[in-house]
Amino acid sequence: QVQIVESGGDLVQPGGSLRLSCAASGFSFSMCAAVSWYHQAPGKERELVASITSDGTRPNYADSVKGRFTMSRDNAKNTLSLQMNSLKPDDTGLYYCKADFLLESYWGQGTQVIVSS
């Protein structure tokens, strides 16, 4: 059974940092065509934050997070991480992990990040 679970969301002050994690079961992130993090702000559509493709060595980032967020993949632990620094109120929302595996896209349930003083 394919399952993705995100964790690490929290309430943080502007300028602070958080590290989100995504764990997979039933498949390996290393076998995915792409793995990604998405952000859905309140009342807005889900947007791509960062992604790593199977043939890529470096993540691609949305302009809004370049220089602040870092995505990484640990194949041994079968996890993804999103290190978020210099957080802004606009970063508030749900963060989702997505894996493109065998022509299907699998999503986690999301983890909530609130950036507020």
Side-chain angles (χ1 to χ4, degrees):
Q1 180 180 359
V2 172
Q3 188 175 18
I4 294 176
V5 178
E6 302 95 335
S7 62
D10 205 346
L11 170 64
V12 62
Q13 292 187 345
S17 298
L18 276 178
R19 186 177 182 86
L20 306 184
S21 296
C22 176
S25 58
F27 72 102
S28 297
F29 283 131
S30 61
M31 298 178 65
C32 293
V35 290
S36 311
W37 284 98
Y38 280 74
H39 170 227
Q40 186 166 20
K44 295 187 178 181
E45 294 187 354
R46 203 171 295 187
E47 296 182 340
L48 179 65
V49 172
S51 64
I52 301 175
T53 59
S54 60
D55 58 354
T57 57
R58 296 182 178 180
N60 295 305
Y61 298 98
D63 288 342
S64 60
V65 306
K66 281 181 181 177
R68 300 189 299 124
F69 289 11
T70 303
M71 178 180 180
S72 60
R73 179 174 63 192
D74 188 329
N75 290 336
K77 295 181 179 180
N78 202 24
T79 59
L80 302 175
S81 297
L82 185 68
Q83 177 65 41
M84 307 189 295
N85 299 328
S86 302
L87 283 162
K88 305 174 181 179
D90 285 348
D91 296 321
T92 293
L94 282 164
Y95 284 77
Y96 296 90
C97 183
K98 190 187 87 163
D100 297 324
F101 178 63
L102 295 179
L103 302 180
E104 296 283 345
S105 290
Y106 297 95
W107 294 86
Q109 81 292 342
T111 186
Q112 181 75 50
V113 173
I114 300 174
V115 184
S116 175
S117 55

